[in-house]
């Protein structure tokens, strides 16, 4: 490679003329003898000849955001520690082995699930819940607090049946309850808590109508520990009226609008102008009305919410202290207060920075959070001479985020291509077609290259390209000539080292469906290759999804990066048959519930994985294929069975029934039927149920293979007749 090809890494760059040889009458750039120089911003990634899993762990900050559940193992794969710090070495789970088990065809011992894939680890969920409970128990015991803590899981974070049922089961010894914000959430909470602790709270938040309040009072009749939290003052009249008609003594809470709030996106729901809650004036009117109705003893809970992702314990203590003052005043006014519900806000460190100045990090751990809450409540209550209340929290994000991992595949990547350098004769012909201004730019470019004036080269290169584009638009330059000019300008950029080194990695995913918070407000999640971490990542890339939308990409990453260090995708790269898997971590809260059907891409396949004593340390206890094309079409009011019949009849009408066409018709209709049953995402050639045979025997149609049908269809699926 000429000297200029190495100038990116050189401490003193040689003059540009060293890499160009110019004909005296026709300047012709000759930039590289072979290859493309490494990009400047990739130098830190590729520096040094040795690479290790420790370097990958540091590069992707795995020990920061992943501890104590995720690490890089000696094989270069992401390892899951299902019991957190209590995980023994033989209990660690290789995530790549889970993915292979899920995605391999059934005839090879796999489950035949299609990507993308959500992997749930109930053991991690259990550990998160126990860690939260343990932190509060420690704070209560160490500070001499005279009541206890019992958590409440807000089901809006992830309403998946098995997630909610797991939380109720794991939390039963700790009186862990559920919070609902809508009528269907209330119904599922009632159902799940029927198998939980009798003392577990069922907190009813959100806007309420007659039906919602009636349903909450039915839950009370069923001996569920139900609390109706007033979000609006008007709801009180409904509660009083309906409870009398149903002869149920309600337990009432109220949500207070605090003055304390934090800035940023996650603090927008708090403060005096927040969407929910009552002002101090409204609180006093509620107390008065309850007193006049002989129901002041029913007011037993104070709820508030500072905002999600509370950045510091100082802000937390300030808000809890303010709320406890309100609680103490309600006690003084005669309310039958028992509970203080501090809402959500326990933050997740998405980028591992432990920073209090970021929406994707927090400057504390769970133990510090619990200690700050207990201390703030204790201090105010002791000063006011008020009995210590039961402390509740609605820490959904902190409980469910870690247990769920989204796995998806990068199927291809854009490549940097250097065209063959035009010959001197070709360049002479090209220059002769340029107008006077473009020709002057070309010659000025050559002169600046000889002098080694980089900035001037770029200036004339840009001017040359723009002038040639204008010539192309007016028809005086053909497409081959325009391509030749583009190549020349690209050579200049690469030689100087300012060409964009970032590739687009095309991933089998919909950002809108699976990472809606990134699209909606640039929420960042750690995204990491789940294997090949014993190899040096030599590329940088952004992730471009399958959707026909320019917003369907991930181009911001933790650590303030606009691209991600990645590996080359090849046919046998990494020893995994060319498959390249990425994982998005800490996305167990909200993403699945918020995902839509943009471009009719449905949700991912799902597996539940428990730690076991099997050879691979895990067992898949449940697997569910993602929604099929028929499923997402039904969601949009189409009828897939009728659609298939329409297409089948059209095939009967327009396919000539000549010799050999009977097989073509059967193949066509079979493939159409199976298309409705497959997921909308891309299928790799190694696992696809269809094979393209573009020859005379089948007319080039895709056909459905009975031999591997089970790999793409569940047992319940019925392949439509043809």
């Amino acid at each position: 490679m000429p000297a200029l090809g190495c100038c990116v890494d050189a401490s003193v760059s040689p003059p540009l003329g060293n890499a160009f040889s110019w004909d005296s009458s026709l300047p012709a750039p000759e930039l590289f003898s072979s290859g493309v120089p490494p990009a400047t911003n990739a130098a830190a990634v590729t520096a040094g000849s040795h690479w290790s899993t420790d370097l990958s762990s540091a590069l992707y900050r795995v020990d920061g955001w992943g501890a104590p559940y995720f690490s890089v193992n000696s094989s270069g794969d992401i390892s899951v520690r299902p019991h957190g710090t209590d995980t023994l070495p033989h209990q660690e789970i290789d995530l790549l082995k889970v993915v292979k088990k899920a995605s391999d065809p059934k005839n090879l011992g796999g489950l035949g699930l299609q990507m993308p894939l959500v992997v749930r680890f109930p053991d991690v969920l259990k550990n998160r819940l126990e860690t939260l409970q343990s932190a509060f128990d420690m704070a209560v015991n160490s500070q001499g607090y005279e009541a206890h803590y019992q958590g409440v899981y807000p089901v809006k974070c992830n309403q998946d049946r098995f997630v909610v049922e797991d939380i109720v089961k794991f939390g039963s010894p700790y009186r862990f309850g559920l919070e609902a914000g809508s009528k269907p959430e209330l119904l599922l909470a009632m159902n799940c808590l029927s198998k939980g602790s009798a003392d577990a709270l069922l907190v009813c938040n959100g806007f309420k109508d007659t039906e919602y309040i009636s349903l909450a009072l039915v839950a009370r009749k069923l001996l569920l520990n139900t609390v109706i939290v007033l979000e609006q003052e008007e709801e009180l009249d409904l509660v009083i009226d309906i409870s009398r008609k149903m002869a149920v003594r309600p337990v009432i809470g109220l949500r207070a609008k605090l003055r304390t709030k934090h800035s940023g996106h996650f603090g927008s729901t708090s403060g005096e102008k927040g969407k929910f809650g009552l002002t101090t004036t409204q609180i006093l009117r509620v107390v008065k009305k309850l007193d006049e109705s002989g129901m002041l003893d029913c007011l037993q809970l104070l709820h508030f919410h500072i905002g999600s992702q509370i950045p510091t314990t100082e802000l937390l203590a300030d808000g809890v202290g303010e709320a406890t003052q309100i609680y103490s005043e309600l006690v003084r006014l005669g309310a039958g207060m028992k509970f203080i519900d501090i809402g959500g806000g326990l933050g997740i460190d998405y980028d591992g920075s432990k920073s209090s100045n970021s929406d994707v990090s927090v400057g504390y751990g769970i133990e510090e959070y619990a200690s700050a809450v207990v201390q703030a409540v204790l201090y105010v209550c002791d000063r006011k001479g008020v009995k210590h209340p039961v402390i509740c929290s609605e820490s959904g994000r902190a409980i469910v985020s870690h247990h769920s991992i989204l796995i998806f595949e990068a199927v291809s990547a854009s490549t940097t291509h250097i065209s063959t350098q035009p010959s001197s004769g070709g360049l002479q012909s090209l220059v002769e077609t340029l107008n006077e201004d473009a020709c002057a730019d070309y010659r000025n470019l050559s002169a600046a290259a000889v002098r080694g004036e980089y900035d001037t080269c770029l200036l004339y290169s840009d001017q040359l390209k723009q002038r040639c584009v204008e010539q192309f638009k007016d028809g005086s330059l053909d497409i081959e000539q325009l391509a030749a000019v583009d190549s020349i300008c690209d050579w200049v950029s690469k030689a100087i080292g300012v060409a964009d080194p970032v590739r687009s990695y095309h991933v089998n995913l919909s950002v809108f469906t699976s990472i809606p918070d990134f699209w909606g407000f640039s929420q960042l999640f750690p995204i990491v290759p789940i294997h090949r971490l014993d190899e040096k990542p030599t590329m940088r890339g952004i992730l471009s999804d399958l959707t026909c939308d320019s917003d369907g990409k991930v181009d911001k990453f933790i650590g303030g990066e606009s691209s991600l260090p990645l590996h080359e995708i090849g046919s046998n790269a990494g020893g995994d048959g060319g498959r390249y898997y990425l994982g998005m971590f800490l996305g167990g809260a909200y993403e699945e519930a918020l995902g839509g059907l943009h471009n009719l891409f449905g949700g991912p396949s799902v597996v539940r994985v428990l730690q076991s004593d099997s050879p691979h340390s895990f067992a898949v206890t449940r697997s569910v294929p993602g929604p099929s094309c028929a499923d997402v079409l039904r969601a949009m009011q189409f009828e897939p069975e009728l659609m298939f019949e329409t297409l089948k009849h059209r095939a009967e009408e327009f396919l000539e029934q000549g010799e050999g066409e009977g097989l073509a018709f059967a193949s066509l209709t079979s493939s159409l039927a199976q298309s409705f049953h497959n997921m909308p995402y891309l299928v790799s050639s190694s696992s696809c149920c269809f094979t393209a045979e573009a020859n005379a025997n089948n007319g080039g149609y895709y056909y459905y293979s009975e031999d591997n049908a089970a790999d793409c269809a569940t047992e319940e699926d019925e392949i439509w007749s043809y």
Side-chain angles (χ1 to χ4, degrees), residues 626-705:
S628 67
C629 292
D631 293 331
V632 297
L633 287 167
R634 286 191 189 97
M636 294 297 170
Q637 311 305 314
F638 288 94
E639 299 182 49
E641 293 84 357
L642 295 181
M643 295 169 67
F644 169 69
E645 289 299 323
T646 298
L647 295 172
K648 178 182 168 184
H649 291 157
R650 187 171 181 85
E652 290 174 338
E653 181 180 358
F654 289 101
L655 278 180
E656 295 183 7
Q657 297 298 316
E659 183 179 353
E661 288 300 328
L663 176 61
F665 174 76
S667 297
L668 174 63
T669 53
S670 176
S671 67
L672 280 172
Q674 187 59 33
S675 293
F676 281 99
H677 288 273
N678 288 343
M679 285 177 68
Y681 295 92
L682 302 182
V683 181
S684 67
S685 58
S686 62
S687 61
C688 183
C689 290
F690 302 91
T691 303
E693 296 287 349
N695 54 46
N697 291 334
N698 64 6
Y701 299 124
Y702 288 91
Y703 69 89
Y704 165 62
S705 170

Side-chain angles (χ1 to χ4, degrees), residues 543-564:
L543 308 180
S544 179
D545 77 357
L546 298 179
T547 66
C548 302
D549 197 300
S550 58
D551 287 337
K553 63 183 178 181
V554 180
D555 55 2
K556 297 182 181 66
F557 303 89
I558 63 171
E561 298 292 332
S562 58
S563 61
L564 188 68

Side-chain angles (χ1 to χ4, degrees), residues 322-334:
E322 180 187 350
T324 310
Q325 294 285 357
I326 298 174
Y327 179 93
S328 299
E329 289 298 298
L330 291 172
V331 172
R332 181 180 65 81
L333 293 171

Side-chain angles (χ1 to χ4, degrees), residues 464-474 477 482 486:
L464 171 63
K465 178 178 286 192
Q466 186 57 43
R467 293 190 200 279
C468 290
V469 168
E470 294 300 324
Q471 281 194 252
F472 177 75
K473 288 180 179 180
D474 66 23
L477 206 66
L482 182 63
D486 285 339

Side-chain angles (χ1 to χ4, degrees), residues 119-403:
V119 185
R120 299 198 199 282
F121 291 94
D123 291 318
V124 173
L125 192 64
K126 183 173 186 286
N127 185 266
R128 291 298 293 176
L129 192 150
E130 291 175 343
T131 299
L132 177 62
Q133 184 70 42
S134 177
F136 271 99
D137 287 347
M138 183 181 300
V140 164
N141 294 331
S142 64
Q143 297 184 38
Y145 194 80
E146 295 175 356
H148 64 271
Y149 165 81
Q150 59 182 95
V152 173
Y153 169 65
V155 297
K156 67 180 179 182
C157 285
N158 191 323
Q159 298 102 332
D160 180 82
R161 169 191 165 189
F162 296 98
V163 171
V164 180
E165 288 182 350
D166 280 343
I167 289 174
V168 171
K169 179 176 67 175
F170 299 148
S172 186
Y174 313 115
R175 297 165 287 204
F176 219 87
L178 299 175
E179 179 267 350
S182 67
K183 285 176 275 192
E185 287 185 351
L186 178 52
L187 286 167
L188 76 84
M190 290 168 62
N191 175 72
C192 292
L193 283 178
S194 295
K195 301 176 183 178
S197 168
D199 295 324
L201 289 173
L202 172 49
V203 177
C204 301
N205 287 332
F207 291 108
K208 303 170 189 69
D209 60 6
T210 299
E211 186 177 6
Y212 188 138
I213 293 170
S214 298
L215 190 58
L217 292 172
V218 168
R220 190 80 189 161
K221 271 183 173 288
L222 298 177
L223 300 184
L224 295 173
N225 196 7
T226 310
V227 182
I228 300 173
V229 177
L230 304 179
E231 305 277 7
Q232 305 290 313
E233 187 178 358
E234 297 78 13
E235 295 170 357
L236 178 58
D237 291 331
L238 289 175
V239 172
I240 293 173
D241 180 54
I242 298 170
S243 64
R244 286 174 174 168
K245 290 177 180 178
M246 295 179 64
V248 179
R249 194 73 173 171
V251 173
I252 299 172
L254 60 82
R255 177 166 173 171
K257 284 186 178 180
L258 302 186
R259 271 69 168 181
T260 306
K261 64 173 295 181
H262 74 81
S263 58
H265 172 82
F266 292 111
S268 61
T269 57
S270 61
E272 291 183 272
K273 296 183 179 180
K275 178 178 178 181
F276 295 108
L278 309 180
T279 64
T280 52
T281 301
Q282 291 173 315
I283 290 173
L284 289 174
R285 287 203 295 261
V286 165
V287 169
K288 181 180 180 182
K289 183 170 291 188
L290 284 171
D291 190 24
E292 292 172 347
S293 302
M295 298 176 64
L296 190 53
D297 61 309
C298 296
L299 180 55
Q300 297 181 14
L301 181 144
L302 176 70
H303 174 47
F304 65 94
H305 181 60
I306 301 172
S308 191
Q309 285 287 105
I310 297 173
T312 66
T313 55
E314 289 78 15
L315 177 62
L316 172 68
D318 188 30
V320 173
E322 180 187 350
T324 310
Q325 294 285 357
I326 298 174
Y327 179 93
S328 299
E329 289 298 298
L330 291 172
V331 172
R332 181 180 65 81
L333 293 171
M337 303 301 293
K338 295 180 181 178
F339 305 94
I340 185 166
D341 182 348
I342 66 174
L346 173 53
I348 293 296
D349 190 0
Y350 288 99
D351 64 3
S353 66
K354 293 181 172 57
S355 169
S356 59
N357 299 316
S358 169
D359 280 344
V360 295
S361 184
V362 290
Y364 55 84
I366 292 181
E367 292 80 8
E368 296 165 280
Y369 175 89
S371 179
V373 169
V374 173
Q375 185 176 15
V377 177
L378 178 70
Y379 176 75
V380 174
C381 286
D382 284 353
R383 284 185 59 200
K384 294 283 190 175
V386 171
K387 183 180 178 181
H388 298 168
V390 173
I391 296 175
C392 307
S393 74
E394 300 175 6
S395 302
R397 185 188 301 267
I399 291 175
V400 298
S401 291
H402 296 75
H403 94 287

